[in-house]
Amino acid sequence: MSENIDVEIADFRGQHDGALMSKAHPEHEVRMGQLSALYERKFTPGEMVAPQASKAVSDADYRAKHADALNDRAHPEHDLRVKELAEANGVAVQDEQNAGVDFSRLAEPAQQPTDYDFSSIQVPVGLEASESPELERYAREWLLSGEVSPAEGSALANVYAESLNWTHDQIGRMADQTGRELRSKYGEQVGAAASAALKVADELPGLRDFLESSGLINNLRVVDRLIRAAETRGYFKANAGT
């Protein structure tokens, strides 16, 4: 990803912050479209022969499409659909060990900040992470505002722990890989998806700075979760793949 385009995006966001952040602003749609175009440039390496159709389906769309199977344990596809929903929300499922468990509950958003359990965070070997009550408080508020489930909150917390050991080169490679995955998933909508994700990050106090300073803004799981939060807020709508 080009450093120049990152500077251009930052300048654009600073110049048109009011229009980007307020749907009531008369220039909101125009500026969001321009920002999306900048993100398309950021995530499009060289020339693409043809834009790919989006393959993304939101949680809400998935639940609506498979409501019968998700809500009826006797349905022949119940186990399959709850497993897919759980894994899409960062919960690894082992059939042999979890038979009879209702995994669809694991994808439900937390109800309060204390629902998130960070006790199982695994810090990389050789590193000593000092406790930060302030960061933990912010993290709980960010996760709750994003309607993140407790299970996925723990998974994201472990991504943060991993980030403590990332090098600059690793972050650069991760950013490139994330760009490829987003293009594959969202196709020609990649710019709109990325700009919507950043809008969510900007709305939560301190989140944007934290994600950028830690390198987490380049992590696919983190970006994907921001995009799903943007869908919930109505900032972005993915076209379902065929």
Side-chain angles (χ1 to χ4, degrees):
M1 297 183 185
S2 169
E3 182 176 334
N4 291 333
I5 189 62
D6 288 334
V7 173
E8 190 173 347
I9 289 173
D11 289 344
F12 184 87
R13 294 183 68 87
Q15 183 179 355
H16 302 290
D17 181 69
L20 292 170
M21 296 301 294
S22 173
K23 285 187 175 183
H25 195 286
E27 296 183 359
H28 177 75
E29 294 299 330
V30 173
R31 298 307 180 188
M32 285 298 292
Q34 292 172 333
L35 182 62
S36 294
L38 288 173
Y39 275 106
E40 287 171 7
R41 285 171 50 195
K42 176 182 175 72
F43 289 116
T44 303
E47 297 182 0
M48 293 182 67
V49 176
Q52 296 175 298
S54 170
K55 296 185 288 186
V57 179
S58 69
D59 281 0
D61 290 338
Y62 187 91
R63 286 178 179 274
K65 183 177 180 180
H66 302 292
D68 290 343
L70 290 169
N71 297 324
D72 181 3
R73 293 191 179 215
H75 194 286
E77 293 185 359
H78 177 77
D79 291 343
L80 171 64
R81 298 307 177 189
V82 296
K83 178 180 178 182
E84 289 178 342
L85 183 61
E87 291 182 340
N89 283 274
V91 182
V93 178
Q94 299 295 329
D95 294 331
E96 301 81 0
Q97 299 176 6
N98 299 293
V101 177
D102 185 3
F103 288 107
S104 60
R105 296 289 302 277
L106 296 179
E108 294 180 356
Q111 299 301 308
Q112 54 190 358
T114 53
D115 287 347
Y116 299 107
D117 180 9
F118 300 146
S119 62
S120 61
I121 292 179
Q122 299 178 350
V123 177
V125 177
L127 290 182
E128 292 185 6
S130 58
E131 293 186 7
S132 174
E134 183 178 17
L135 176 58
E136 182 173 330
R137 176 173 61 82
Y138 271 117
R140 293 179 186 278
E141 293 174 356
W142 293 332
L143 293 170
L144 188 67
S145 297
E147 299 185 16
V148 177
S149 70
E152 189 178 10
S154 295
L156 289 169
N158 275 306
V159 174
Y160 163 67
E162 294 171 5
S163 76
L164 299 175
N165 206 28
W166 291 345
T167 66
H168 182 74
D169 288 342
Q170 286 176 314
I171 292 175
R173 291 193 297 272
M174 182 186 304
D176 291 339
Q177 179 63 28
T178 294
R180 288 192 293 271
E181 294 290 342
L182 291 177
R183 287 191 298 275
S184 175
K185 186 173 185 179
Y186 295 105
E188 60 185 5
Q189 289 188 294
V190 64
S195 59
L198 267 294
K199 183 175 181 179
V200 172
D202 283 336
E203 288 180 343
L204 302 177
L207 179 57
R208 174 78 177 272
D209 289 341
F210 170 72
L211 294 177
E212 291 184 340
S213 63
S214 63
L216 288 167
I217 196 65
N218 300 291
N219 181 266
L220 180 61
R221 173 173 292 209
V222 173
V223 176
D224 183 67
R225 194 62 189 79
L226 287 171
I227 292 173
R228 283 190 277 142
E231 289 184 293
T232 300
R233 287 166 165 75
Y235 301 156
F236 173 71
K237 176 65 176 177
N239 294 328
T242 56

